[in-house]
C-alpha cells in the first residue's frame, strides 16, 4: 500500500497473490512473511528501502532453497526451516519428546508486545532474559488469541519468573514454553535485570555476536542483543546507542531514553533488526528502565 494512501500498488497486489498461493500450498508461515513484505519495506526510511527489500527477499529465496534441500541440513536447522514454512510442533509433542531442551532458572521479563496478524489473530510476544550462566540466555514466549477476544498479555515487563522452560528444537534455541513456575511465595527471587552476566562490552563486539547468531540461524529476525558500557542519547529526532566510537539507531526512542541516558554508562538489552535496534530495557546504576 502506498504510504499515506488507501489504494493498493501492483507490487502489493502481487505479494498478496503469491501469499494466497502459499496458503493453498500449506505454507502459512511463509505466506504471512511474503504478505508482510510491502509493509516491511514501506516502514523503512527512503534511503534504506532498497537494502531492506533486498535483504528480505534474499531471506525468502534462501529459505526456499533450504527447504528444497532440507535432507542435507543438520536436524536442528531443518526444524527451523520447516517452521518458517509452516510446519508446527504442538506443546504436547514438545514436552513428550525425550530430547527436548529444558532450562530451570530465574528469568526477567524484558518486554511484552502485541501485534495483529493478517489471519485475524493477535500475536503476543514475551521476551525473557536468563539470570544464570550458560545458553540459551534468551527465550521468546509466543501466544496467539483471536483479535475479537480482547485477551491481554500474560506477563509484564520487569516481572521475574523462577521457572522451567522447554525450548523448541532450533539451531539457536529461542522460542520456549513455561513448563513449571515456582509460586511467588516459595520462590527465592533474585534482583532485577541489572545483574545479568554474559553481556559483552561495546557495540562492535555485540554486533559480532548478532552476526554469529545469523550465521547459525539466517531467518531469525529480530535477533536478541545486549551491550554493556554504552550510553543512550538523541540527535535531533533520532535516538541512538553509542559506545563512544560507534553509533546504532534506536527504533523506539522516547522520553524514557532521556531518563535512561541520565544515569551514565549502562547495559542495553533489546532486539537487533535491519538498520538498528528496538530496545527492551536499560540496566543503569539507578535501576532498570523498561521501554514502554
Amino acid at each position: 500500500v502506498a504510504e499515506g494512501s488507501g489504494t493498493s500498488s501492483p507490487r502489493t497486489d502481487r505479494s498478496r497473490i503469491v501469499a494466497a498461493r502459499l496458503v493453498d500450498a500449506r505454507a502459512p508461515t511463509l505466506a504471512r512473511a511474503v504478505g508482510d513484505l510491502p509493509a516491511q519495506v514501506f516502514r523503512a526510511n527512503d534511503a534504506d528501502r532498497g537494502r531492506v527489500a533486498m535483504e528480505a527477499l534474499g531471506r525468502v529465496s534462501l529459505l526456499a532453497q533450504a527447504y528444497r534441500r532440507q535432507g542435507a541440513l543438520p536436524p536442528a536447522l531443518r526444524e527451523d526451516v520447516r517452521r518458517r514454512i509452516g510446519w508446527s510442533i504442538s506443546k504436547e509433542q514438545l514436552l513428550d519428546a525425550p530430547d527436548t531442551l529444558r532450562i530451570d532458572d530465574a528469568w526477567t521479563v524484558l518486554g511484552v508486545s502485541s501485534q495483529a496478524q493478517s489471519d485475524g489473530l493477535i500475536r503476543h510476544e514475551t521476551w525473557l532474559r536468563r539470570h544464570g550462566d550458560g545458553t540459551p540466555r534468551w527465550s521468546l514466549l509466543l501466544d496467539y488469541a483471536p483479535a475479537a477476544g480482547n485477551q491481554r498479555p500474560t506477563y509484564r515487563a520487569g516481572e521475574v519468573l523462577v521457572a522451567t522452560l522447554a525450548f523448541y528444537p532450533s539451531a539457536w534455541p529461542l522460542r520456549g514454553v513455561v513448563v513449571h513456575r515456582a509460586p511467588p511465595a516459595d520462590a527465592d527471587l533474585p534482583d532485577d535485570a541489572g545483574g545479568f552476566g554474559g553481556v559483552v562490552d561495546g557495540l562492535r563486539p555485540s554486533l559480532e555476536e548478532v552476526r554469529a547468531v545469523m550465521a547459525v540461524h539466517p531467518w531469525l529476525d529480530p535477533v536478541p542483543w545486549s551491550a554493556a558500557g554504552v550510553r543512550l542519547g538523541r540527535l535531533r529526532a533520532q535516538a541512538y546507542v553509542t559506545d563512544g566510537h560507534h553509533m546504532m539507531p534506536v527504533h523506539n526512542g522516547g522520553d524514557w531514553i532521556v531518563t535512561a541516558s541520565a544515569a551514565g554508562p549502562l547495559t542495553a538489552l533489546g532486539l537487533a533488526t535491519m538498520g538498528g535496534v528496538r530496545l527492551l530495557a536499560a540496566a543503569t546504576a539507578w535501576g532498570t528502565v523498561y521501554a514502554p
Side-chain angles (χ1 to χ4, degrees), residues 110-115 123-127 138 140 221-226 232 238-239 241 248-253 256-257 268-282 291-292:
L110 291 186
V112 179
S113 64
S114 300
Q115 183 178 5
R123 172 187 169 109
H124 297 298
E125 295 184 356
T126 303
W127 292 91
W138 292 80
L140 169 63
D221 183 28
V223 177
W225 168 91
S226 59
L232 301 179
Q238 177 62 60
V241 57
M248 188 175 181
V250 173
H251 296 317
N252 57 331
W256 78 281
I257 294 285
L269 304 107
L271 306 172
T273 62
M274 295 181 184
V277 63
R278 176 165 69 88
L279 289 182
L280 297 174

Side-chain angles (χ1 to χ4, degrees), residues 59 62 77 80 171 213-221:
R59 287 182 179 180
L62 181 63
L77 184 58
D80 288 321
V213 171
M214 295 187 69
V216 173
H217 188 340
W219 303 282
L220 189 61
D221 183 28

Side-chain angles (χ1 to χ4, degrees), residues 8 18 21 76 121 129 146 159 225 231 281 285:
S8 298
V18 173
R21 289 176 177 172
L121 296 178
R129 174 78 184 198
E159 186 176 359
W225 168 91
R231 293 176 180 267

Side-chain angles (χ1 to χ4, degrees), residues 163-174:
T164 301
L165 268 59
F167 287 80
Y168 284 83
S170 172
W172 200 78
L174 177 63

Side-chain angles (χ1 to χ4, degrees), residues 15 131 146 157 199 218:
S15 71
H131 281 234
V199 181

Side-chain angles (χ1 to χ4, degrees), residues 7-51:
T7 60
S8 298
S9 70
R11 293 179 182 178
T12 304
D13 290 337
R14 283 197 292 271
S15 71
R16 290 174 179 169
I17 292 171
V18 173
R21 289 176 177 172
L22 288 170
V23 171
D24 293 340
R26 299 183 180 180
T29 306
L30 180 57
R32 282 196 298 271
V34 171
D36 290 342
L37 281 177
Q40 182 179 352
V41 172
F42 280 122
R43 279 196 300 266
N45 297 325
D46 290 347
D48 295 332
R49 284 180 179 171
R51 175 183 57 80

Side-chain angles (χ1 to χ4, degrees), residues 63-81:
L63 179 61
Q65 295 181 49
Y67 188 70
R68 294 189 189 102
R69 304 174 186 176
Q70 57 180 291
L73 299 177
L77 184 58
R78 183 166 61 245
E79 292 295 329
D80 288 321
V81 169

Side-chain angles (χ1 to χ4, degrees), residues 123-212:
R123 172 187 169 109
H124 297 298
E125 295 184 356
T126 303
W127 292 91
L128 306 178
R129 174 78 184 198
R130 183 180 175 184
H131 281 234
D133 294 329
T135 55
R137 294 189 180 277
W138 292 80
S139 183
L140 169 63
L141 308 181
L142 287 180
D143 294 291
Y144 297 89
N150 198 28
Q151 179 179 328
R152 297 179 179 272
T154 305
Y155 304 99
R156 55 180 175 79
E159 186 176 359
V160 178
L161 317 179
V162 176
T164 301
L165 268 59
F167 287 80
Y168 284 83
S170 172
W172 200 78
L174 177 63
R175 184 183 174 186
V177 298
V178 176
V179 179
H180 171 75
R181 180 179 177 182
D186 300 332
D188 182 16
L189 297 180
D191 294 333
D192 73 354
F196 284 145
V199 181
V200 298
D201 290 319
L203 282 186
R204 176 167 286 184
S206 72
L207 293 177
E208 288 175 352
E209 286 194 338
V210 170
R211 295 188 189 99

